[in-house]
Amino acid sequence: MGKPLSLSSLLEDSRRLTTHLSSSEIPSVHRNLNLLESESRKLVARSVRTSSATASGRTLLDTRAQSLLASSGVDTDELTENVASSAVLSAFEMLQPTFDANVESFLAQQQEQSIVNAIEESELSTLDDFDRQMSQHMRLVWEETQRKMFEELGQYQGIGLMAAGAVGNRESACVFDLVDERKVVQPRVERYAKVVRELNDSRVATAAAVGRPGALQNYDLLGGLEKATAESSQELRSKQIAQVWTLLGHYAPGAGNGAGLVQGACDYLEQTFVDHVDRVVAQYPHEANVGGVPSVHRKIEGYLRVLFGRLGRVPAFLEVFNNDAIWAHMFMLYRCGYRKELLKYALEMEDIITDSDPGFVAHLKA
């Protein structure tokens, strides 16, 4: 029984066929299996193109086309051969995936794929962690903001359902019922609660006094809230809230009227600047040097002394008379809302002011 045939054995037998010949007669050809497979594929493709061209003959070109090309000097026979030799079929043939039998290449490919998968999974995990951490951070920030707001406003204690025996039955109880309506966490809330109680008492009294002229009561709600805020704390935040109540108090009389709102805003700004002047004069008493009970003009002069003292001199563009910057003095009076005092001062300095602006005093009188 003969040995089984294989490609290796056939290759070895073919080599032994030429062992009796000298090497100079037949050149040695070294081809492996991959090269043989490639050459065989080329041979098959060439045979297919040749058979197709032989079967079609000269019918690749139309007779009229051949005549037209021949009249233009084109060799139709050469053109037909070139077209027949084109590997059009092989250009569109379906490629089958080839599997690498090399273990090292396969492991390297698997390693690269594992790294890519790990990077993608890490990216997705990082995005999920970021979204989760961001949501948690926003929730914590919101809870901290709520806590600060409740600390600022205060929180009630004792809110809950009253005992069933005290209210008759549990169904009639309310979550807003208080065991003690005056029991609060912070004293500042008691001050606000006092303002609300006074407002309610005033409204009840006003309702009871209907029909009796002169018995109606008007409660200053904004004033009460401003006072309660000012008494609550000396913190900057509480001062700002008190300033808001003051601003609303100036706006309230002009509600529904544009001119009234503008006038209320001007009044608030003027009063704010008056407080600023008083604060600066009180903070620097030696530089201001306004005396015991200063007048409006003495306060303005003292404020300007402090201001110009920080600058080191009076600006050259300001006129000075008896150590008093006249135009700066009048501006401060107008800025504080002292219009009557401004007119009186301008009349006293009319001779000096007329030299700079002849029509200024006339405009103030108008």
Side-chain angles (χ1 to χ4, degrees):
M1 184 176 181
K3 61 180 181 179
L5 297 177
S6 64
L7 292 178
S8 300
S9 61
L10 290 176
L11 178 60
E12 187 65 25
D13 294 340
S14 64
R15 288 176 178 176
R16 285 197 295 267
L17 291 175
T18 60
T19 54
H20 63 282
L21 300 175
S22 61
S23 58
S24 59
E25 296 178 359
I26 300 177
S28 60
V29 179
H30 299 282
R31 293 186 177 183
N32 53 18
L33 296 179
N34 294 331
L35 184 59
L36 292 175
E37 181 181 5
S38 176
E39 293 296 332
S40 62
R41 289 179 179 274
K42 292 180 181 180
L43 181 61
V44 171
R46 191 181 304 112
S47 62
V48 171
R49 292 195 297 268
T50 303
S51 60
S52 300
T54 304
S56 58
R58 301 296 179 179
T59 61
L60 292 175
L61 293 177
D62 187 76
T63 305
R64 291 174 295 178
Q66 290 181 3
S67 301
L68 178 61
L69 293 175
S71 62
S72 301
V74 177
D75 189 356
T76 57
D77 295 336
E78 182 180 0
L79 180 61
T80 303
E81 292 178 0
N82 292 335
V83 172
S85 61
S86 300
V88 180
L89 296 177
S90 61
F92 299 96
E93 63 180 354
M94 299 297 295
L95 299 180
Q96 299 296 331
T98 58
F99 300 94
D100 195 351
N102 191 344
V103 177
E104 295 181 357
S105 300
F106 174 76
L107 294 178
Q109 182 182 5
Q110 291 297 320
Q111 182 183 10
E112 293 178 358
Q113 187 64 35
S114 300
I115 294 174
V116 172
N117 294 338
I119 293 175
E120 293 178 353
E121 293 178 359
S122 177
E123 181 181 2
L124 295 176
S125 177
T126 302
L127 293 176
D128 293 340
D129 293 340
F130 175 79
D131 293 339
R132 183 170 56 256
Q133 292 293 334
M134 179 59 69
S135 300
Q136 184 178 2
H137 175 71
M138 293 177 63
R139 181 177 58 81
L140 294 176
V141 170
W142 171 238
E143 292 177 354
E144 180 66 16
T145 304
Q146 285 182 318
R147 185 185 64 80
K148 291 181 179 179
M149 291 175 59
F150 289 141
E151 287 180 356
E152 176 66 22
L153 300 176
Q155 289 179 323
Y156 279 96
Q157 285 184 347
I159 298 179
L161 293 174
M162 300 177 63
V167 296
N169 58 40
R170 193 174 184 83
E171 293 181 357
S172 62
C174 177
V175 295
F176 296 103
D177 292 335
L178 301 179
V179 177
D180 186 358
E181 63 178 2
R182 297 178 179 269
K183 187 177 181 181
V184 294
V185 174
Q186 298 182 5
R188 74 176 64 180
V189 181
E190 173 59 25
R191 296 188 181 95
Y192 288 113
K194 180 180 178 181
V195 174
V196 175
R197 286 196 296 269
E198 292 176 353
L199 173 62
N200 292 333
D201 294 341
S202 176
R203 296 173 66 182
V204 171
T206 300
V210 174
R212 289 184 294 167
L216 297 178
Q217 300 181 10
N218 293 323
Y219 182 74
D220 186 7
L221 175 60
L222 295 176
L225 293 174
E226 179 184 357
K227 181 180 178 181
T229 305
E231 294 176 352
S232 296
S233 175
Q234 297 300 322
E235 297 178 357
L236 178 61
R237 187 181 305 170
S238 297
K239 292 180 180 179
Q240 292 174 345
I241 295 177
Q243 292 174 358
V244 171
W245 295 125
T246 304
L247 177 59
L248 291 177
H250 283 83
Y251 278 153
N257 185 0
L261 292 176
V262 173
Q263 185 60 42
C266 291
D267 294 341
Y268 173 76
L269 294 176
E270 292 168 355
Q271 183 60 43
T272 302
F273 195 77
V274 170
D275 296 339
H276 171 68
V277 171
D278 294 340
R279 187 166 54 254
V280 171
V281 170
Q283 188 176 359
Y284 302 96
H286 298 289
E287 293 86 346
N289 192 19
V290 296
V293 184
S295 64
V296 172
H297 296 284
R298 292 288 294 173
K299 288 183 180 180
I300 297 298
E301 292 173 358
Y303 177 80
L304 291 176
R305 289 193 194 96
V306 175
L307 180 62
F308 295 149
R310 295 180 180 179
L311 296 176
R313 60 182 178 82
V314 179
F317 60 87
L318 294 177
E319 297 182 14
V320 180
F321 180 76
N322 291 335
N323 295 326
D324 185 16
I326 300 174
W327 292 99
H329 192 114
M330 289 190 295
F331 172 77
M332 293 299 172
L333 288 174
Y334 186 80
R335 181 69 177 80
C336 294
Y338 298 133
R339 294 173 180 81
K340 294 182 180 180
E341 290 80 356
L342 171 60
L343 179 59
K344 182 178 179 181
Y345 181 83
L347 291 175
E348 293 176 355
M349 299 292 180
E350 184 174 3
D351 296 338
I352 302 173
I353 295 173
T354 303
D355 295 338
S356 299
D357 190 348
F360 182 77
V361 178
H363 286 298
L364 287 179
K365 291 179 181 180

